[in-house]
Amino acid sequence: MTAQERLQQGFTVWLTGLSGAGKSTIARTLSAELERRGYCVDVLDGDEVRTHLSKGLGFSREDRDTNIARIAFVASLLVRHGAAVITAAISPYAEARAEARARIGNFVEVYVRCSLDELVRRDVKGLYLKALSGEIQHFTGVSDPYEEPRDPEVVVDTERESVEQSVSKVVGTLEARGYVAAQRRVTA
Ligand code: ADP
């Protein structure tokens, strides 16, 4: 496949990482950047998906896998029609991510990494306090497993990088792989 043919194809940026690591923030900023460049972008955010597509599902392994399979299914349809899809779900299990990769095809896995110490410090949604005290059970990273990606296309370290740095790493990979046209850098 030539780079030109690939440019017209859809793709999925699959963000994976613990709650509060920065998936939604990166999804929003990346979405704005790709829209600015003229791409048709769809964001499938985990929290939002769970209120619509996956309403009623819980946090057992089976329900988590079902949730991820549904996101992957919708992403695969959108990708077929040339969309730039960004997913932002914890997606803790490597097997479910591998299935999503196989189903979707044009797949860029981004590990949104952040230490538990920093996540507890941020506690964006107040959930870590509840998870650590046992008020919430099966909380990924505290009382439920998170299988780190072994070979993701991109790793962003949100503890040390700004949002802009993380997003520009992802965009750089999309450009390098021919999913997104490289922009000419204007230097003064
Ligand atoms: P998640 O979607 O993974 O649950 P959120 O995006 O809701 O996480 O929250 C992440 C928090 O981390 C935000 O408050 C954001 O401003 C902060 N943050 C700091 N550095 C980064 C970075 N490089 N990328 C993304 N978020 C970051």
Side-chain angles (χ1 to χ4, degrees), residues 4-59:
Q4 190 55 39
E5 282 166 337
R6 239 181 147 180
L7 285 179
Q8 285 146 29
Q9 278 196 350
F11 60 88
T12 291
V13 174
W14 189 281
L15 302 165
T16 173
L18 296 176
S19 176
K23 301 180 297 300
S24 299
T25 305
I26 290 171
R28 272 196 307 274
T29 312
L30 176 62
S31 167
E33 174 60 17
L34 293 177
E35 274 177 357
R36 191 185 67 76
R37 295 185 184 203
Y39 292 88
C40 173
V41 188
D42 284 294
V43 176
L44 297 170
D45 189 272
D47 290 339
E48 209 185 342
V49 165
R50 277 185 174 276
T51 66
H52 300 287
L53 188 65
S54 288
K55 195 171 173 160
L57 289 183
F59 294 89

Side-chain angles (χ1 to χ4, degrees), residues 17-185:
L18 296 176
S19 176
K23 301 180 297 300
S24 299
T25 305
I26 290 171
R28 272 196 307 274
T29 312
L30 176 62
S31 167
E33 174 60 17
L34 293 177
E35 274 177 357
R36 191 185 67 76
R37 295 185 184 203
Y39 292 88
C40 173
V41 188
D42 284 294
V43 176
L44 297 170
D45 189 272
D47 290 339
E48 209 185 342
V49 165
R50 277 185 174 276
T51 66
H52 300 287
L53 188 65
S54 288
K55 195 171 173 160
L57 289 183
F59 294 89
S60 64
R61 172 155 193 172
E62 193 187 353
D63 279 7
R64 287 176 187 270
D65 284 349
T66 303
N67 180 44
I68 294 311
R70 288 180 187 173
I71 294 174
F73 175 69
V74 175
S76 73
L77 298 184
L78 295 168
V79 165
R80 249 178 35 208
H81 292 283
V85 179
I86 306 167
T87 68
I90 297 172
S91 38
Y93 294 110
E95 197 180 329
R97 294 194 301 265
E99 280 168 14
R101 179 186 287 274
R103 179 183 281 277
I104 297 169
N106 293 347
F107 192 88
V108 174
E109 187 174 14
V110 179
Y111 178 21
V112 182
R113 191 167 62 192
C114 187
S115 72
L116 198 56
D117 281 352
E118 173 63 12
L119 292 171
V120 171
R121 243 189 316 273
R122 281 184 196 168
D123 211 358
V124 193
K125 299 163 204 162
L127 297 174
Y128 281 92
L129 200 62
K130 291 184 180 166
L132 289 167
S133 72
E135 197 182 319
I136 302 177
Q137 290 172 350
H138 304 292
F139 194 79
T140 306
V142 175
S143 44
D144 219 52
Y146 178 78
E147 297 173 358
E148 293 197 331
R150 284 240 180 110
D151 198 16
E153 277 75 7
V154 189
V155 178
V156 295
D157 180 351
T158 71
E159 210 169 332
R160 295 187 181 79
E161 297 164 10
S162 67
V163 177
E164 290 67 32
Q165 284 172 324
S166 297
V167 168
S168 95
K169 261 188 179 174
V170 178
V171 171
T173 299
L174 292 173
E175 289 179 348
R177 300 201 168 220
Y179 290 125
V180 161
Q183 284 207 325
R184 255 184 259 151
R185 314 236 175 257

